Amino acid sequence: MDTSTGAGGSRQARALPGYGARRPVEWALRSAVPADVEPIVELRAVAMRPDLVRLGRFDEHRVRQRFRDAFVPRHTSIILAHGAFAGCVAVRPAEDGQWLEHFYLAPDLQGQGLGSAVLRRMLERADADGLVVRLNVLRGSAARRLYERHGFTMETEDAVDVFMVRQPGAGALGRRTGAQPSGHSA
């Protein structure tokens, strides 16, 4: 999977203005490698815990093992913020488009625009290729609002998950704000 954030296949760091009282978030994506599995497993357990507990589905072992069993490095990008591991996102090819999966961000970086910037970058690629993007999010998760802002709509739901879809070019609102290239290479 091409995980570059810059034009022409080059990686660029990006800055998010207004990151609290601290400096802007410099971020970049890099391709995942097999050794990334355990840091992602731990982030997944932390990020998903509140929603899984609320749904009565949290299991310390299962939340970790499910990711280990599903991890495909070639479909996964590591999100770096200020040069350090900050999260991940996977884009898995499907017959009718792509599945956006395993989008986890460190809790201390949530709500700062980083998730929107990364999602926008993933969706720009899908739009350029004319691809439908699907995902599922836990019922009641705040992440659903993020996806809706970027053009996803509910397709179906069950007792645990909401399945969402986004048609190519949907979600112009999500492209109006966010990260600007910082001019630094990652």
Side-chain angles (χ1 to χ4, degrees), residues 12-178:
Q12 288 183 337
R14 295 178 178 256
L16 295 176
Y19 177 65
R22 298 180 278 189
R23 63 190 170 152
V25 176
E26 299 285 334
W27 70 275
L29 298 173
R30 70 161 172 80
S31 295
V33 297
D36 290 318
V37 70
E38 290 307 314
I40 297 171
V41 161
E42 292 309 313
L43 176 58
R44 180 179 197 268
V46 169
M48 293 188 69
R49 183 182 187 109
D51 286 327
L52 289 172
V53 166
R54 178 181 46 76
L55 293 168
R57 313 251 327 164
F58 186 77
D59 176 294
E60 289 280 350
H61 174 72
R62 186 169 188 245
V63 72
R64 290 169 172 83
Q65 194 58 47
R66 283 190 66 168
F67 183 81
R68 287 182 190 111
D69 293 343
F71 181 53
V72 179
R74 75 177 176 277
H75 296 158
T76 307
S77 296
I78 300 301
I79 303 165
L80 302 170
H82 301 300
F85 174 79
C88 68
V89 61
V91 178
R92 179 176 49 87
E95 237 178 75
D96 62 344
Q98 299 177 327
W99 276 87
L100 184 91
E101 302 173 315
H102 308 299
F103 190 10
Y104 312 119
L105 192 60
D108 63 325
L109 292 172
Q110 293 175 9
Q112 306 300 320
L114 179 57
S116 286
V118 171
L119 180 58
R120 191 169 31 260
R121 185 69 188 129
M122 300 290 108
L123 296 175
E124 286 170 357
R125 292 176 183 172
D127 287 350
D129 293 334
L131 297 174
V132 170
V133 180
R134 287 189 164 72
L135 60 81
N136 65 293
V137 62
L138 292 170
R139 284 183 72 144
S141 173
R144 181 176 175 176
R145 290 188 305 274
L146 168 70
Y147 299 130
E148 288 171 340
R149 285 194 309 269
H150 289 273
F152 285 88
T153 58
M154 184 181 78
E155 200 167 32
T156 186
E157 64 185 318
D158 62 27
V160 176
D161 292 305
V162 176
F163 295 87
M164 303 183 81
V165 64
R166 181 185 180 276
Q167 298 299 320
L173 174 65
R175 287 191 294 276
R176 281 187 272 186
T177 61

Side-chain angles (χ1 to χ4, degrees), residues 3-7 9-13 28-31 80 184-186:
T3 58
S4 62
T5 59
S10 65
R11 284 189 350 196
Q12 288 183 337
L29 298 173
R30 70 161 172 80
S31 295
L80 302 170
H184 301 288
S185 294

